[in-house]
Amino acid sequence: MFDIGWQELFVIAVVALAVIGPKDLPRVLKTVMTGLAKMRHLAQEFRTGVDEVIREAELEDLKRHLEKTANAQDIGGKIKAEIDPSGKFEREIESSLKDAKIATDLKPQTDPVKDTDR
């Protein structure tokens, strides 16, 4: 994290031992470690808060996008207007379907099974 090697740590330990003294060194180390733990906890809380804000912002963007999609009125009508603005194609299809239905209704009904045993 701070890119401190073992030689630097050894120098810091010797200086701390000389300045603080062997009697008070464990108490000072405990205080320093407690402070570091509190700093890590605060950093984790901050990171969690930032992640939550980002997640809420993404949810807001998604909500806006869904609202835009829901507000898009008659998508089928818009597509139909783009493909066949005059309605000619739709009328021709309907006419062809009616003609096919009439042709099917007029077809003579014959029995496809022939009696060949006689």
Side-chain angles (χ1 to χ4, degrees), residues 1 5-6 13 17 19 26 30 35 44 51 55 61 66 70 77 82 90 94:
M1 182 165 107
W6 64 273
L17 186 62
V19 172
K30 182 179 178 183
Q44 180 63 34
D51 289 344
R55 190 171 357 113
D61 289 344
L66 288 175
E82 286 294 320
E90 184 179 9
E94 287 174 359

Side-chain angles (χ1 to χ4, degrees), residues 35-54:
L36 285 174
K38 286 181 181 179
M39 286 179 20
R40 285 183 182 151
H41 181 70
L42 287 173
Q44 180 63 34
E45 284 182 16
F46 179 75
R47 186 177 302 130
T48 303
V50 169
D51 289 344
E52 185 176 330
V53 168
I54 290 171

Side-chain angles (χ1 to χ4, degrees), residues 2 19 24 51 68 71-72 75 79 112:
F2 293 110
V19 172
D24 294 328
D51 289 344
K68 281 182 186 178
N71 289 337
I75 294 174
I79 292 172

Side-chain angles (χ1 to χ4, degrees), residues 49-65:
V50 169
D51 289 344
E52 185 176 330
V53 168
I54 290 171
R55 190 171 357 113
E56 287 177 4
E58 288 174 352
L59 287 176
E60 282 295 319
D61 289 344
L62 181 62
K63 182 180 175 184
R64 272 188 250 120
H65 179 70

Side-chain angles (χ1 to χ4, degrees), residues 68-85:
K68 281 182 186 178
T69 304
N71 289 337
Q73 299 172 357
D74 192 24
I75 294 174
K78 289 180 181 179
I79 292 172
K80 190 185 291 185
E82 286 294 320
I83 293 174
D84 187 23

